[in-house]
């Protein structure tokens, strides 16, 4: 069988491109700040010294749908080259499975940020949890869901997680919350200070803390990024972080236990947006009912781009693919 070239792309209008051939990663590319993703695609091909005529398939994934936008990076793909679009979870699952030591098992992709409000505003399906079954190196989707209204408490906890990160570590943490720091902060929180019945109110889809629940802390100090937080400020957010961390961990462990009952597989490959939480990972590794657990810690746009390539190679060759890193020829700026 001849060597197949697949270009994977992830990340929207300014994302990451990856080129794989025969299971070997040939090049990476990410655009310079403010540059369109088409520059990353061009740089990826240039770094590997490959032209479009050699590319057998393009596979992409992104959160937002590509509208008729002149900066759509995929408008540069020549006509005649097969192209597929997959979900981000689909790409992450393929990458995690390909790099795991298992040829069979359950593959769980857990992000938990999908909400009905997000779907309504963005107009796209954004997965919160996905379960795949891995059989002889091949993946099949079992369950895909967005966080339903029945999990409103978990959605509230995730909002509080962002709340604690934003107001303790600064607004710059939006979208890239320092989860490890949040877990450290949670360790100093006071158990019982917050509960599911905490004094909360909802306005236009946002979770807001009632002034009466702050006691020692004025609301303006709870809702503003503080350059010089006091001990009371940190104690308040530590309580919030502890409550959110505990609730998130319980929800994920319950979800994985439920999935274990639904699948005959005794091995687990775990990845997704919450995989960056070390405290949660420890509990997933030691407290889930799976016999063996592999935690795939990379769940970023690079990994999604690799997953796109793995999916493409699997479709072209109808066989399991385990990528190997070739010479480091990256066009990353």
């Amino acid at each position: 069988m001849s060597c197949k070239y697949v270009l994977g792309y992830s990340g929207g209008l300014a994302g990451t491109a990856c080129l794989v051939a025969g299971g070997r990663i040939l090049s990476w590319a990410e655009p310079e700040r403010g540059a369109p993703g088409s520059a990353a695609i061009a740089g990826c091909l240039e770094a590997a010294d490959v032209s479009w005529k050699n590319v057998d398939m393009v596979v992409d994934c992104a959160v937002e749908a590509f509208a008729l936008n002149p900066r759509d990076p995929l408008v540069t793909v020549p006509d005649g080259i097969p192209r597929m679009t997959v979900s981000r979870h689909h790409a992450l699952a393929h990458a995690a499975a390909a790099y795991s030591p298992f040829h069979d098992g359950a593959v769980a992709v857990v992000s938990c940020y999908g909400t009905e409000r997000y779907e309504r505003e963005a107009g796209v399906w954004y997965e919160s949890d996905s379960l795949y079954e891995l059989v002889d190196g091949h993946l099949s989707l079992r369950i895909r869901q967005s966080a339903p209204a029945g999990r409103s408490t978990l959605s509230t906890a995730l909002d509080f997680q962002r709340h604690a990160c934003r107001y303790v570590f600064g607004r710059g943490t939006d979208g890239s919350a320092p989860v490890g720091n949040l877990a450290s902060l949670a360790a100093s929180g006071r158990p019982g200070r917050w509960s599911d019945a905490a004094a909360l109110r909802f306005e236009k889809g946002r979770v807001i803390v009632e002034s009466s629940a702050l006691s020692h802390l004025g609301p303006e100090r709870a809702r503003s990024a503080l350059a010089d937080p006091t001990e009371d400020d940190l104690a308040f957010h530590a309580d919030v972080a502890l409550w959110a961390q505990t609730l998130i961990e319980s929800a994920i462990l319950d979800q994985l236990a439920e999935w274990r009952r639904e699948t005959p597989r005794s091995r687990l490959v775990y990845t997704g947006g919450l995989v960056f939480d070390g405290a949660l990972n420890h509990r997933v590794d030691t407290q889930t009912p799976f016999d063996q657990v592999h935690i795939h810690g990379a769940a970023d746009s690079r990994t999604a781009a690799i997953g796109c390539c793995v999916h493409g190679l699997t479709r072209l060759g109808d066989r399991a693919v385990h990528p190997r890193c070739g010479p480091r020829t990256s066009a990353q700026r």
Side-chain angles (χ1 to χ4, degrees):
M1 182 180 295
S2 61
C3 184
K4 301 293 185 180
Y5 288 79
V6 176
L7 178 76
Y9 182 83
S10 169
L13 297 177
T16 299
C18 178
L19 185 68
V20 170
R24 183 177 296 278
I25 298 173
L26 302 181
S27 61
W28 295 100
E30 294 178 342
E32 296 179 352
R33 182 178 297 273
S38 55
I41 293 175
C44 188
L45 294 173
E46 180 181 356
D49 193 24
V50 171
S51 66
W52 278 116
K53 68 180 181 180
N54 300 118
V55 176
D56 295 283
M57 179 176 285
V58 174
V59 182
D60 67 273
C61 73
V63 172
E64 72 274 24
F66 290 127
L68 294 177
N69 189 310
R71 298 189 68 183
D72 179 347
L74 300 172
V75 298
T76 60
V77 178
D79 293 338
I81 296 180
R83 175 186 160 189
M84 297 186 63
T85 298
V86 299
S87 73
R88 180 175 176 82
H89 276 202
H90 194 76
L92 291 176
H94 272 79
Y99 281 102
S100 80
F102 308 145
H103 284 272
D104 63 85
V107 180
V109 188
V110 182
S111 296
C112 284
Y113 289 104
T115 64
E116 292 180 355
R117 179 169 61 87
Y118 186 96
E119 290 182 35
R120 183 171 62 253
E121 293 177 355
V124 298
W125 176 284
Y126 188 76
E127 308 123 309
S128 61
D129 318 293
S130 300
L131 176 66
Y132 291 79
E133 190 170 14
L134 179 66
V135 180
D136 194 25
H138 292 80
L139 278 178
S140 60
L141 178 65
R142 290 285 300 273
I143 298 172
R144 185 182 78 151
Q145 60 191 26
S146 183
R151 293 170 62 187
S152 58
T153 303
L154 177 58
S155 297
T156 301
L158 290 164
D159 277 341
F160 265 111
Q161 183 187 59
R162 290 188 288 270
H163 168 97
C165 285
R166 182 182 305 126
Y167 296 121
V168 174
F169 302 108
R171 290 186 176 276
T173 61
D174 280 354
S176 57
V179 176
N181 290 339
L182 181 65
S184 299
L185 184 67
S188 61
R190 294 166 291 182
R193 177 65 178 83
W194 287 93
S195 70
D196 296 353
L200 310 176
R201 60 190 172 93
F202 296 82
E203 287 186 0
K204 298 180 179 178
R206 297 180 62 189
V207 180
I208 299 176
V209 184
E210 286 282 11
S211 299
S212 60
L214 303 179
S215 62
H216 64 280
L217 189 62
E220 69 283 353
R221 292 186 68 77
R223 300 174 191 164
S224 302
L226 303 175
D228 187 22
T230 66
E231 290 187 8
D232 281 345
D233 296 331
L234 292 176
F236 167 77
H237 288 96
D239 295 341
V240 172
L242 176 61
W243 174 77
Q245 182 75 22
T246 302
L247 193 59
I248 291 167
E249 290 179 7
S250 297
I252 300 308
L253 292 175
D254 289 347
Q255 180 73 84
L256 293 175
E258 178 183 334
W259 282 350
R260 176 64 182 91
R261 292 190 291 270
E262 294 181 3
T263 177
R265 306 299 162 185
S266 61
R267 296 168 173 170
L268 172 68
V269 179
Y270 173 76
T271 190
L274 291 184
V275 80
F276 297 105
D277 187 330
L280 172 58
N281 286 350
H282 176 72
R283 297 192 66 185
V284 169
D285 187 35
T286 60
Q287 299 180 28
T288 54
F290 291 89
D291 295 337
Q292 293 177 283
V293 176
H294 171 76
I295 297 177
H296 188 71
D300 54 13
S301 61
R302 288 186 175 187
T303 299
I306 291 178
C308 288
C309 291
V310 172
H311 175 78
L313 289 172
T314 303
R315 290 294 297 268
L316 289 172
D318 191 28
R319 61 185 176 87
V321 176
H322 295 270
R324 306 180 305 279
C325 292
R328 188 173 182 81
T329 55
S330 174
Q332 181 183 0
R333 302 295 198 272

